[in-house]
Amino acid sequence: MASRDKGRQRIEPGFSSNSRSSDDDMRADPEDRPVPSRKRKSSARKSVKSKRSRSGRGQRSGFFGALRRMVYWSFVLCIWGGIAVAGMVIYFAAKMPQTTTWTIPDRPPNVKIVSVEGDLIANRGATGGEAIGLHQMSPYLPQAVVAIEDRRFYSHFGVDPVGFARAMVTNVVSGRLVQGGSTITQQLAKNLFLTPDRTLERKVQEVLLALWLEHKYSKDQILQMYLNRVYLGSGSYGVAAASRRYFNKSAHDVSLTEAAVIAGLLKAPSRLSPARDPKAAAERSQLVLAAMRDQGMIGDKELAFAIKQPATRAAAYWSGSEHYVADRVMEELPDLIGDVRSDVVIDTTVDLGLQKLGEASIRDLIQKNGQKMSVSQGALVSVDGTGAVRALVGGYDYANSQFDRATEAKRQPGSTFKPFVYLSALEQGRTPESVRTDAPIRIGNWTPGNYNGKYFGKVTLAEALARSLNSVSAQLVMEVGPGTVVETAHRLGIVSNLNANASLALGTSEVTLLELTDSFVPFANGGYKAPVHIIRRITDHDGKVLYEYKSPNQDRVISDRNVGMMNAMLRQTVESGTATKAKFGWPAAGKTGTSQNFRDAWFIGYTSNLTTGVWFGNDDGKPTKKITGGGLPALAWKEFMVAAHKGVPVAELPGNYHVSQPVIDGNDALPDSGVDPTVPAAEGVPSAQLNQGAPVPPVDVADQTGSTHPTPPAGVGGNGQKSRKTTLFDLIMGN
């Protein structure tokens, strides 16, 4: 205690510590210096420990402080980001119309074309198919689409955040766009209302519209709208159109494998099309099938069976000759009802069974004879007694060529035009027994010759027509006047312009197969005009009749007398003339024709039930290897008519006239008597449309060509007056 007291500095009252001198301060006794006590040492230790403790707490408080600050500012940024997003949404939403004006736009109208029995021929229009309900589809179709496009379709509210996040992660990991985050509802909104532009504004509007759709419509309604409008390649919008396009069946009948192919098209309709790459389509469909299995829509057995199905290639284009009918219908439609603003159903006059028969007959003959006879195309038209088209085959294969050779191609008819010449002669008082001399004649600078230069001397008109003698036909044209023949042809149904000249007798003016066939109908129906037509009725979706064909008053264009005479003569063509290959047990008549260098081969024949015309040739005008009207055309005609007349009671042709001297051995020297005539064709009749006196190249016409002399120009042979008669002097001088 003493030592402690010694070391204490005492301060007396009344004095301050500063009263000590500086020397005292400077010279302090060592013993008077303060000595740290144990307590002070302990305090020092505690101070060091305290500093260390405060330092550790500072480090820890710095980390958590930074974390707190990060959370705080993140929260602040989220708030401002949310405000910015909300402002952007409000801005883009303000640019859209009011929701009260939002309506589902009308689906582009569909044109459903059906046969006379009500069978579907084709769907046409912008969509390529009609709109159908989910209950009208195969259940595999909606399942496949939901499985591959939007597996949470029935659980989300129009936008799928989980699916969007998954898609974004997948895309980031893969480094490219692999998956999309849009739901079916969003895709429908885009298809209905928006452009395909990839902009932020469009995406925001897509989300808003998707929410509106989910609020206004049920899930099934949204899915149905989507399946009826989505593009599935090859001009097909909706599953109904795609089912017809790729599998030629209704959407109700597609199989599991086919449904998977259709659903797979949604990713890339063109690239994955079975019409373009069946292997790629099959590979994509297997992904769809796997997705369906993962979601329990199908079982293992169904999956295994579907995967084993081979990839099939769809036609590169619509296939089937019935599409020629559909094209013809669509061409006529605007003139009948104007613009199509809603779905319509068109009832046609076409018998789909006959249509398929005609297609098969043309195709089979070309497949068997095309290469060896140098023929690549054919066409067939069949018309009943009212002018209704029962079958129309415009070519060998619609998928390869959509050009309609039955209604659009104009070609020289050759001798099939001669019935108009003979009818004109009968109408001026001649009869089938009238006699003309079959011998070389000269009309101006033109000498029409018979096939192989063979002439028969005195022949009746019946024999001349059955043998298709060119010199007699030319004589008759000059007797009655070319203008009269033109008027007769137009009266019966020819609509093309015809050149009123002497070579008209040999069919040098071009016509279509349809009009030529229709012009033969008055011979079959008793002499009445038969306006050709293919549309019976047009109705809207509710069954309201928009158009209905009304038969005009039947105008008689051939008298009873002349109908009987013409049928008696033209019947000889089938029974003993150039078309004996067409005989099939029914009373039938007709006329064959073969044009320049065997370029075109025709047969127009008829019974009292149907009139059918057939043509064979090449699109580029290349000559065939001696195909004549009595060859392939007659064979195709017979095959078609045999099937068309099954179960139909046999009926005679109109008229009761009988030729007194039927033609015997009418095939003698006739190139149309068989498919491969052994006698070479002569060259001869040039175009009648050249200027008078100009040199002309040789051109074959009709069944029998023979003259190499020039054809008279258009004015030679008469002025076209109906009642003009030609004297022997005119025949000699060509006046």
Side-chain angles (χ1 to χ4, degrees), residues 117-371:
E117 304 92 349
D119 297 324
L120 179 67
I121 290 177
N123 282 297
R124 291 295 173 89
T127 59
E130 59 185 324
I132 58 177
L134 291 179
H135 65 283
Q136 296 172 290
M137 305 176 190
S138 165
Y140 294 128
L141 279 168
Q143 289 176 352
V145 170
V146 169
I148 197 66
E149 287 294 309
D150 190 358
R151 65 181 62 186
R152 277 178 289 276
F153 172 72
Y154 282 100
S155 61
H156 63 62
F157 52 89
V159 179
D160 184 8
V162 176
F164 179 78
R166 172 180 49 79
M168 293 303 100
V169 170
T170 302
N171 293 336
V172 170
V173 171
S174 63
R176 59 190 179 91
L177 185 62
V178 177
Q179 294 183 2
S182 295
T183 64
I184 286 177
T185 313
Q186 288 177 263
Q187 293 179 48
L188 177 62
K190 179 179 66 176
N191 292 340
L192 290 177
F193 303 105
L194 303 173
T195 64
D197 299 336
R198 295 186 177 184
T199 62
L200 181 60
E201 178 180 357
R202 199 226 65 184
K203 196 66 178 178
V204 171
Q205 292 174 344
E206 176 187 300
V207 171
L208 294 175
L209 289 166
L211 297 175
W212 174 78
L213 286 171
E214 292 276 347
H215 172 72
K216 192 170 182 65
Y217 298 97
S218 69
K219 288 287 187 179
D220 283 349
Q221 288 175 318
I222 291 172
L223 183 58
Q224 179 175 302
M225 283 189 285
Y226 178 75
L227 293 176
N228 276 310
R229 295 170 183 259
V230 66
Y231 182 63
L232 294 166
S234 297
S236 302
Y237 289 83
V239 294
S243 300
R244 287 287 177 189
R245 169 64 184 86
Y246 298 117
F247 307 114
N248 195 28
K249 59 175 64 175
S250 72
H252 182 271
D253 298 326
V254 299
S255 66
L256 172 59
T257 304
E258 292 164 345
V261 170
I262 291 175
L265 289 168
L266 293 168
K267 182 178 182 180
S270 297
R271 180 170 57 84
L272 298 175
S273 168
R276 176 179 178 179
D277 191 342
K279 183 178 179 181
E283 291 174 352
R284 176 66 178 172
S285 71
Q286 291 181 6
L287 294 178
V288 177
L289 292 169
M292 295 178 71
R293 177 64 188 91
D294 291 343
Q295 297 170 52
M297 296 177 177
I298 59 175
D300 292 333
K301 291 183 178 179
E302 290 177 294
L303 175 63
F305 178 79
I307 288 179
K308 289 180 181 178
Q309 300 304 305
T312 56
R313 178 181 292 275
Y317 201 82
W318 288 106
S319 60
S321 65
E322 65 272 15
H323 292 288
Y324 289 114
V325 175
D327 288 348
R328 176 75 182 187
V329 167
M330 293 303 294
E331 184 177 343
E332 295 183 5
L333 185 59
D335 293 335
L336 301 180
I337 64 171
D339 294 336
V340 179
R341 301 185 182 277
S342 62
D343 288 1
V344 296
V345 178
I346 299 179
D347 294 290
T348 69
T349 62
V350 171
D351 184 318
L352 200 54
L354 294 181
Q355 180 73 26
K356 294 298 184 182
L357 287 172
E359 176 183 0
S361 64
I362 296 295
R363 180 166 294 187
D364 290 347
L365 286 171
I366 291 180
Q367 286 178 343
K368 293 176 182 177
N369 301 281
Q371 186 172 3

